[in-house]
């Protein structure tokens, strides 16, 4: 048996972290017609840490083979789904309802984008409110009577040339924004895993090694252009944000490109003394300072 | 024929407005197995203003009946989809590739959440770059070799208990964030449509009308509690953010509740002079000031 989606979200090591979801809203489907849509809705809910599904007068069996197959890991949500005869009964114990609609109504009502609804829902969840996300019929959406029972409208900005979303897609996007509003990590980063960015001493050491060899092999022979070319090469390498391991790899690449086997030379003789390693930059700074 | 999704997005009146999408990324599917997934991918793309689909060695027919049915209004994207033998060929003309992956790799690579990738993609689009969004195989995702050809990774924060997304759902969420990053309107608002919020003069007028009737009918008979009850009632009505039309409706409600038909009284006689309308607040302010 899979773990209950009601369990607080674990913060797995090395994964993007999302704040524990308290008082997650339930999802209410108004007269859904297709078993498959109830299944994919359950899957989208599970993906986003929602667990309670309410069905108002559903026109298909939400525990049919089709529904379960479509739900993938969300079957546990279908098994616990509750059926209601009317919307009034389905929302009776809730305190705040968001209705997702595709078109504007002649109504005076707070309206949120899906993205804007995320923090609003989290705020009400923090305050301990019981919330519901209401989605309309596959073909006809929600009636104005139904929307009048809701506190706010959610509208998802979509390509105006083709804004029609499948029911489960709409559920996914609104649930996704609920989930993202609890995400507290950075929106971008470099994944270093077990390695780490090189220190600037290591990077400058690499620059000096490369530039010395580029002068000696003739690539930087033009002294007038040398300073600008060095700047360009340094910028190119800075942009790579090298790790300490990659700096070591790069030293090896330079050395072997310059002194490794080549078709026009005999193989290096065993016993020949290798190129002395360049002294660490800081040591040379010290030598320059003390004049040693 | 439906309008080409390549056409700049129209900004429809009264709809949430999204910035015209220039240089939208193409979507690249790696060896997709199911025709239906190619169809639902096309639909999600169309919803989010993307139009170019590239298929690397697809294992099913993207123009089959199943695919077209699943694509709904996205069929135009399937019809124009391009097939490639290898990933290298599919990305050859592109300048920046984002790979969507479900699990972390031992790789040093810029990583974005889907939300973080939105503005990054828009920035590169503004600079005229040709971009691709790469999605892996339904079962096995992408290999490390394939990811090494990409510039950045997109990871979608999901319920760690169940983070497995269907291929088209992953395409939808990344495409959605591309689209939302061009959305420039407010994330929440009140939809007033053809009416508008009442002026404070209208609201204060309503307060005075209601409070006068509440004193006269006996509800506010306790003078000690009156001030606090008035504050509470005023706060309740302020929260409703009434429109000018609703203020007029409310005046009528008060009047009819107070003086309308009731079972213990005879019907109002025709010709009886109606209750005089309260003077506008500003007029009374003036009268109080001038002592008239």
């Amino acid at each position: 048996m899979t773990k209950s989606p009601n369990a607080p979200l674990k913060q797995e090591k090395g994964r993007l972290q999302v704040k524990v979801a308290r008082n997650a809203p339930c999802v209410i489907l108004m007269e859904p017609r297709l078993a498959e849509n109830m299944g994919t809705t359950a899957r989208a809910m599970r993906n986003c840490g929602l667990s309670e599904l309410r069905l108002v007068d559903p026109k298909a069996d939400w525990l049919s083979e089709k529904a379960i197959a479509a739900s993938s890991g969300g079957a546990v949500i279908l098994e616990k789904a509750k059926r209601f005869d009317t919307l009034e009964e389905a929302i009776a114990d809730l305190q705040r309802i968001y209705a997702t609609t595709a078109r504007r109504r002649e109504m005076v009502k707070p309206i949120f984008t899906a993205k804007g609804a995320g923090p609003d829902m989290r705020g009400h969840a923090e305050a301990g409110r019981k919330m519901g996300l209401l989605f309309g019929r596959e073909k006809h959406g929600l009636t104005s009577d139904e929307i009048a029972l809701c506190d706010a409208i959610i509208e998802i900005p979509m390509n105006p040339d083709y804004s029609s979303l499948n029911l489960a897609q709409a559920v996914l996007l609104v649930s996704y924004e609920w989930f993202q509003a609890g995400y507290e990590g950075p929106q971008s980063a470099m994944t270093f895993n077990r390695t780490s960015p090189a220190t600037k001493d290591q990077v400058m050491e690499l620059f000096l090694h490369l530039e010395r060899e580029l002068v000696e092999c003739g690539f930087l022979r033009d002294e007038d252009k040398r300073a600008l070319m060095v700047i360009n090469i340094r910028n190119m390498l800075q942009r790579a944000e090298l790790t300490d391991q990659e700096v070591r790899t790069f030293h090896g690449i330079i050395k072997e490109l310059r002194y490794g086997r080549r078709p026009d030379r005999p193989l290096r003789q065993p016993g020949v003394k290798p190129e002395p390693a360049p002294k660490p930059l800081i040591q040379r700074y010290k030598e320059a300072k003390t004049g040693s």
Side-chain angles (χ1 to χ4, degrees), chain A residues 24-186:
Chain A
C26 65
V27 168
I28 307 156
L29 301 186
M30 197 67 206
E31 298 178 4
R33 289 196 73 79
L34 299 173
E36 202 186 1
N37 281 346
M38 291 186 257
T40 46
T41 289
R43 177 178 190 167
M45 288 173 62
R46 179 108 201 262
N47 282 142
C48 301
L50 302 185
S51 61
E52 191 182 344
L53 178 61
R54 301 183 180 193
L55 305 166
V56 180
D57 193 13
K59 306 302 188 192
D61 180 4
W62 62 96
L63 292 172
S64 64
E65 220 169 286
K66 248 188 180 172
I68 300 285
S71 75
S72 194
V76 61
I77 291 173
L78 289 178
E79 284 158 20
K80 288 194 205 159
K82 288 174 212 141
R83 188 201 173 284
F84 296 85
D85 285 332
T86 65
L87 177 59
E88 286 80 352
E89 290 168 87
I91 65 175
D93 62 322
L94 303 178
Q95 295 171 295
R96 186 169 174 82
I97 313 282
Y98 300 82
T100 299
T101 66
R103 57 188 173 79
R104 286 285 172 92
R105 317 282 175 133
E106 288 294 322
M107 275 194 207
V108 182
K109 193 94 123 171
I111 184 166
F112 294 91
T113 62
K115 204 177 285 298
D120 188 78
M121 290 189 274
R122 289 278 172 173
H124 286 277
E126 293 281 325
R129 308 281 176 265
K130 290 196 77 177
M131 290 179 290
L133 300 171
L134 175 61
F135 295 86
R137 298 155 190 85
E138 283 99 335
K139 295 245 178 232
H140 312 294
L142 295 167
T143 67
S144 294
D145 279 349
E146 288 155 1
I147 292 175
L149 291 175
C150 300
D151 299 274
I153 288 172
I154 294 177
E155 196 174 294
I156 308 173
M158 283 281 141
N159 179 357
D161 274 351
Y162 185 67
S163 60
S164 144
L165 279 171
N166 165 286
L167 175 58
Q169 285 177 318
V171 173
L172 174 65
L173 291 177
V174 176
S175 307
Y176 165 81
E177 290 292 3
W178 151 264
F179 197 70
Q180 302 310 309
Y183 170 70
E184 291 178 328

Side-chain angles (χ1 to χ4, degrees), chain A residues 198-208 237-238 242 247:
Chain A
T199 65
K200 289 307 173 192
D201 183 42
Q202 291 171 320
V203 173
M204 287 185 290
E205 196 58 42
L206 177 65
F207 288 167
L208 293 175
L237 290 175
Q238 290 281 14
L242 299 170
V247 166

